[in-house]
Amino acid sequence: MALLSSFIAVADRPGRTARAAAGYVRRHLVGGQPRSDGAGRHEAGTVVVPPRAASFVEGRAEGLEPVTVAYEREGTGEPLVLLHGLGYHRQAWGSVVPLLADSHDTIAMDLPGFGESPDLDPTVPRDLETAVAWLGAVFEKLDVTRPHVVGHSLGGLIALRLGQAGLARSVTALAPAGFWTGAERRYAYAMLTAARQGVRLLPDEAVGWLARSAAGRAALTGTLYGRSGLCPPETVMASLRALRDAAAFGSTLRAGRDGVLFSGDIPGVPVTIAWGTWDRVLPPWQAYRVKAMIPEARLVPLPGCGHVPMNDAPELVARVILEATGVPQGAH
């Protein structure tokens, strides 16, 4: 999931179509190839983790068609499952996993219809109860019992529901979706839809040019990231491709309009809610609505982080996860 902040700013003006807005971005932001920041160098020493080949697992929950997900597994220790947000993919956790792998058996998944996972069979309902059922079957197939579950946005909401179902030994949710008012949901949906349309209309070469400079990366992802200029070009381009190619994008948005997405408490399960203080997609005050439902939840602000804190501050996010999963300070 990534946002073209400049595209959105133009697309929100009355009388402009998405195609006209994309044309504006091409004319004003892609006047030629920007200067490179230097081969192999990224600001602030960001490490680019090379992509790894996916493995695949099939979960068969009772009464459902099988669900297949792509995943990567690394490290040793208590199992920890990582769930990404809408329009994203498992590589969202690429800079965080190496910081967790010494303490945890980490499993980063592509949700169905995102990344390399095939979309759900049309007969499989796209609701949260069903997601919990097939994820439970996937956990069983992977031979993990009550893993720690960490989720971002859509993945954070699913992680909370897994905790309610007794399928997680701890839950860490980064800006979980679903704790919005009607107006906030419509705002978030409009931003995400405009972003996806913008990505689909911008030529690949334009995205590549923009991604090679800090200013271009800020134009591409400034609404999503708090420190967009620091995000490596490879990460920006991979994120935009994941958003563009997400087969389940529209159907997931439609499913999110139905009813109350979360209610009740999660007794007996440690819950951490972390939120970027610069989140422009799901404003950080929504964290207090989570706290009102789950009184024992620990709230952790992520200073200077936007909606995808894994890219803004991977070391901070890893530290929050390790604390939430009970890894002693100094052991990582």
Side-chain angles (χ1 to χ4, degrees):
M1 191 169 53
L3 294 175
L4 298 165
S5 55
S6 298
F7 173 88
I8 292 170
V10 178
D12 284 344
R13 296 177 188 171
R16 286 193 182 269
T17 65
R19 192 171 300 279
Y24 177 94
V25 173
R26 284 195 293 265
R27 291 192 302 274
H28 289 78
L29 297 180
V30 192
Q33 182 171 338
R35 291 177 299 174
S36 170
D37 293 323
R41 180 175 65 84
H42 300 304
E43 297 90 338
T46 305
V47 176
V48 178
V49 180
R52 301 171 58 194
S55 300
F56 293 85
V57 61
E58 183 180 85
R60 290 178 173 268
E62 185 177 356
L64 294 177
E65 290 295 316
V67 175
T68 300
V69 297
Y71 71 97
E72 294 178 29
R73 193 167 188 171
E74 178 180 349
T76 58
E78 292 184 337
L80 185 152
V81 171
L82 299 164
L83 304 175
H84 60 77
L86 178 69
Y88 232 75
H89 54 173
R90 68 185 186 279
Q91 288 87 349
W93 305 98
S95 296
V96 178
V97 167
L99 306 174
L100 305 174
D102 286 344
S103 305
H104 288 292
D105 171 15
T106 62
I107 303 168
M109 296 183 180
D110 284 333
L111 294 171
F114 300 98
E116 294 184 69
S117 291
D119 202 359
L120 292 174
D121 185 278
T123 63
V124 178
R126 202 176 291 274
D127 58 72
L128 290 164
E129 291 80 6
T130 303
V132 167
W134 64 251
L135 272 166
V138 167
F139 291 173
E140 184 176 351
K141 192 73 171 181
L142 291 171
D143 196 26
V144 297
T145 302
R146 294 189 71 234
H148 300 283
V149 182
V150 181
H152 164 244
S153 197
L154 168 65
L157 174 60
I158 295 172
L160 291 169
R161 295 293 294 261
L162 286 166
Q164 271 191 328
L167 294 176
R169 69 184 72 185
S170 76
V171 173
T172 305
L174 312 180
F179 296 90
W180 43 45
T181 64
E184 289 166 353
R185 181 190 63 76
R186 290 189 293 273
Y187 167 78
Y189 275 30
M191 294 179 75
L192 296 172
T193 301
R196 177 169 159 87
Q197 183 74 342
V199 172
R200 298 176 81 177
L201 290 173
L202 276 176
D204 287 346
E205 60 270 21
V207 174
W209 289 341
L210 288 167
R212 293 191 186 105
S213 72
R217 293 194 293 278
L220 288 168
T221 62
T223 306
L224 190 64
Y225 305 153
R227 303 183 178 100
S228 55
L230 302 183
C231 194
E234 294 86 352
T235 300
V236 170
M237 295 177 69
S239 299
L240 293 174
R241 284 194 295 268
L243 175 63
R244 181 193 63 195
D245 298 337
F249 183 88
S251 55
T252 303
L253 281 184
R254 290 191 293 274
R257 296 191 182 103
D258 296 335
V260 176
L261 300 178
F262 185 90
S263 63
D265 198 356
I266 310 181
V269 177
V271 175
T272 298
I273 306 298
W275 222 294
T277 60
W278 291 356
D279 194 329
R280 298 177 180 93
V281 179
L282 298 178
W285 61 73
Q286 294 180 11
Y288 296 101
R289 297 180 190 143
V290 186
K291 179 71 172 177
M293 291 188 184
I294 311 171
E296 297 301 314
R298 181 175 67 117
L299 298 188
V300 181
L302 303 175
C305 291
H307 185 58
V308 187
M310 303 89 77
N311 284 338
D312 286 327
E315 291 184 357
L316 173 59
V317 169
R319 186 162 64 249
V320 169
I321 293 170
L322 291 170
E323 290 172 356
T325 57
V327 176
Q329 290 295 309
H332 50 88

